[in-house]
Amino acid sequence: MTDQPVITVDGHAIPLLGFGTWNLTPEDARRMVAEALRIGYRHIDTAWIYHNEAAVGDGIRDAIEAGHVAREDIWLTTKIWVAHFEHDALLKQAGESAASLGFTPDLLLLHWPKNEPAFAETLGALNEAKAQGLTRTIGLSNFPSGEFREAQTLSKAKLVTNQVEYHPYLKLSKLKAAAKELGSSITAWSPLAQGQIADDATLVEIGKAHGKSPGQVTLRWLIQQNVIAIPRTARESRAAENFDIFDFQLSSEEMDRIYALARPDGRLGDWIDPRFKWDEEWA
């Protein structure tokens, strides 16, 4: 790994700053993954439902062949889609994802909670995928704290992260507490609130004090919490800007000012099955 902050979960060092590929076309995904790895990112996130796993794998190979990185220095995450949560379907997709990537992923996540089939079947199959060598580690995405705890009780292997929406306009105290209690971690998708942070007066002011943009301040705020952040962009210049966050530190007062931006309408991607409920908190 390059010399950048990591969080160690279950003996695995996961870079706190990653590169996300949600909504990137295959062409953009290949180009941007290769460029991100050239810049210095060592954590790449994709999913079966993004329809770009093969392109992500091509981008990784491009970076390896160019001499920018070795495979063992990359943390690669993909996700099982909810239509594949039955035992056989999950194992089939896990194999297909590894084949599309051309690499065994380091982390395989359940993309959203689903109550049919039962958690026990899905978690059992996810553990089996790990046992079969289809992934190094397993975890969750978009699980509220109660379901997070339930899933871990059903999983023999450690669930190393729960990937959820998190940015300054959300407060995830209960979910972060659950992750700490379980010896796990939180990964933030849409960490820049899909661009909403760009004109935030508080983030602009804090950024000016450090010579940084609101986006850089936000990403720094996340990694100082030991939260993994996976910003996504199709612009090389923005990827380089997002990576340039390791030469400054936010004070406790600045961290608190950003925490105070949480609001009740802060959630941007509420696609959870209505049978599950987010932890109710914001203030």
Side-chain angles (χ1 to χ4, degrees):
M1 300 284 183
T2 53
D3 186 17
Q4 55 184 279
V6 301
I7 183 170
T8 300
V9 184
D10 198 34
H12 300 278
I14 307 173
L16 282 168
L17 182 63
F19 184 81
T21 62
W22 174 64
N23 261 5
L24 291 184
T25 65
E27 181 181 16
D28 282 344
R30 179 173 186 170
R31 171 178 58 87
M32 289 305 305
V33 165
E35 176 63 8
L37 292 170
R38 185 198 68 78
I39 289 167
Y41 290 84
R42 293 297 180 261
H43 180 167
I44 303 295
D45 180 272
T46 185
W48 182 89
I49 200 63
Y50 299 170
H51 304 296
N52 61 18
E53 285 178 319
V56 167
D58 287 338
I60 292 172
R61 279 184 289 277
D62 291 344
I64 291 172
E65 290 171 6
H68 298 314
V69 67
R71 169 62 185 102
E72 58 266 26
D73 292 331
I74 302 169
W75 185 266
L76 175 60
T77 300
T78 194
K79 308 176 191 76
I80 298 289
W81 185 238
V82 296
H84 308 148
F85 275 14
E86 290 80 6
H87 177 274
D88 292 352
L90 189 151
L91 292 173
K92 183 174 184 286
Q93 195 227 288
E96 290 174 350
S97 288
S100 293
L101 290 164
F103 302 100
T104 299
D106 298 287
L107 176 58
L108 188 62
L109 307 178
L110 301 179
H111 209 143
W112 287 86
K114 182 182 177 186
N115 70 346
E116 294 180 0
F119 277 6
E121 177 179 343
T122 304
L123 269 297
L126 190 64
N127 274 262
E128 193 170 330
K130 179 178 183 295
Q132 291 185 11
L134 297 173
T135 181
R136 291 176 61 212
T137 66
I138 58 175
L140 308 172
S141 185
N142 301 302
F143 275 56
S145 59
E147 287 72 23
F148 189 3
R149 290 187 175 91
E150 180 182 356
Q152 185 60 79
T153 66
L154 295 168
S155 178
K156 179 179 178 181
K158 178 68 68 180
L159 301 172
V160 302
T161 202
N162 187 4
Q163 185 180 126
V164 296
E165 181 183 348
Y166 186 37
H167 45 67
Y169 306 125
L170 287 179
K171 182 178 181 181
L172 298 187
S173 299
K174 292 178 182 177
L175 202 60
K176 288 187 291 181
K180 184 176 181 180
E181 171 192 323
L182 296 170
S184 186
S185 66
I186 295 295
T187 299
W189 60 257
S190 286
L192 303 180
Q194 299 175 23
Q196 290 188 17
I197 52 87
D199 299 317
D200 188 285
T202 297
L203 297 171
V204 168
E205 182 180 347
I206 292 172
K208 285 181 178 178
H210 295 278
K212 296 293 182 179
S213 70
Q216 290 170 318
V217 168
T218 299
L219 293 172
R220 184 72 206 182
W221 173 75
L222 287 164
I223 70 168
Q224 281 187 211
Q225 298 176 58
N226 268 340
V227 168
I228 302 159
I230 49 169
R232 181 265 299 163
T233 181
R235 294 167 51 193
E236 290 91 340
S237 60
R238 181 58 54 82
E241 177 184 309
N242 289 343
F243 190 75
D244 186 22
I245 62 169
F246 303 119
D247 59 351
F248 76 109
Q249 186 158 347
L250 299 172
S251 68
S252 296
E253 179 193 15
E254 289 169 331
M255 293 288 289
D256 288 342
R257 289 178 66 194
I258 301 172
Y259 285 126
L261 296 174
R263 62 197 190 202
D265 63 346
R267 191 173 300 280
L268 302 173
D270 195 1
W271 301 296
I272 199 166
D273 187 304
R275 288 169 288 191
F276 301 101
K277 300 296 181 185
W278 296 114
D279 299 305
E280 293 296 333
E281 56 179 354
W282 66 271

